[in-house]
Amino acid sequence: MWFFNQKRADQVAQSISQLIHTLSDGRKNHGPTSPERLLREFATLLSEDTIIGQRVVKLLMATTTKAKFLVSLATAPDHSSHRLTFDGRGVYSGFSLACFLPPRTVMIDLHPTAVGQQARLLYAACKAMPNVVERRDFRWDR
């Protein structure tokens, strides 16, 4: 059973990584409005809002057939920056990942309350991604 769970966590981490790179490539090749446009094609829109001057869209996205995440994309008013956030649900509750597009640093976090084995396996799988830091170890001067 452990191997099956590890394989599933690796698949989810790979799916998240592919989405980050797809949105980054879209921004680079098709302009600053493409990350939101692409994300809307892949996920179900839950809400749109403006928070502290940034446009924020929240979506529900399936990363695999059995894993869904709440995904948020915050866009600066001038489209100069985009921040992408994944928050785990279900067996991945307690897991979160955040990065800017293109990703310079990918921050992951595991909230200590209500964290199950799948969330821990996903956290470990995401630690192997390039430029990943644990949120508690992240310093803004990097």
Side-chain angles (χ1 to χ4, degrees):
M1 185 69 169
W2 179 87
F3 178 74
F4 176 74
N5 288 337
Q6 180 64 52
K7 185 175 177 180
R8 185 183 309 165
D10 290 344
Q11 289 172 338
V12 171
Q14 182 179 19
S15 180
I16 290 171
S17 178
Q18 287 175 338
L19 179 66
I20 291 168
H21 292 290
T22 298
L23 296 179
S24 294
D25 286 346
R27 184 178 192 275
K28 177 181 166 189
N29 298 320
H30 302 291
T33 59
S34 72
E36 181 178 337
R37 193 170 55 246
L38 286 169
L39 197 54
R40 284 174 177 255
E41 289 178 21
F42 300 136
T44 303
L45 180 67
L46 297 176
S47 68
E48 303 176 48
D49 208 348
T50 301
I51 302 171
I52 311 172
Q54 292 190 336
R55 177 175 168 67
V56 178
V57 291
K58 293 183 181 184
L59 305 104
L60 183 62
M61 177 161 188
T63 55
T64 65
T65 56
K66 294 188 181 215
K68 291 184 180 179
F69 286 81
L70 291 173
V71 178
S72 299
L73 180 70
T75 305
D78 62 357
H79 296 282
S80 63
S81 69
H82 296 85
R83 184 170 191 244
L84 185 65
T85 305
F86 288 82
D87 288 312
R89 302 181 52 187
V91 297
Y92 300 107
S93 291
F95 170 83
S96 66
L97 180 146
C99 67
F100 284 94
L101 301 176
R104 295 176 295 274
T105 303
V106 176
M107 294 178 286
I108 59 173
D109 198 16
L110 200 58
H111 303 283
T113 57
V115 174
Q117 182 63 22
Q118 279 299 115
R120 291 179 199 288
L121 290 171
L122 178 57
Y123 184 80
C126 286
K127 279 183 82 166
M129 293 167 49
N131 302 321
V132 170
V133 297
E134 296 180 52
R135 187 168 298 181
R136 67 179 171 260
D137 296 338
F138 183 74
R139 289 186 298 274
W140 290 103
D141 59 349
R142 288 185 184 190

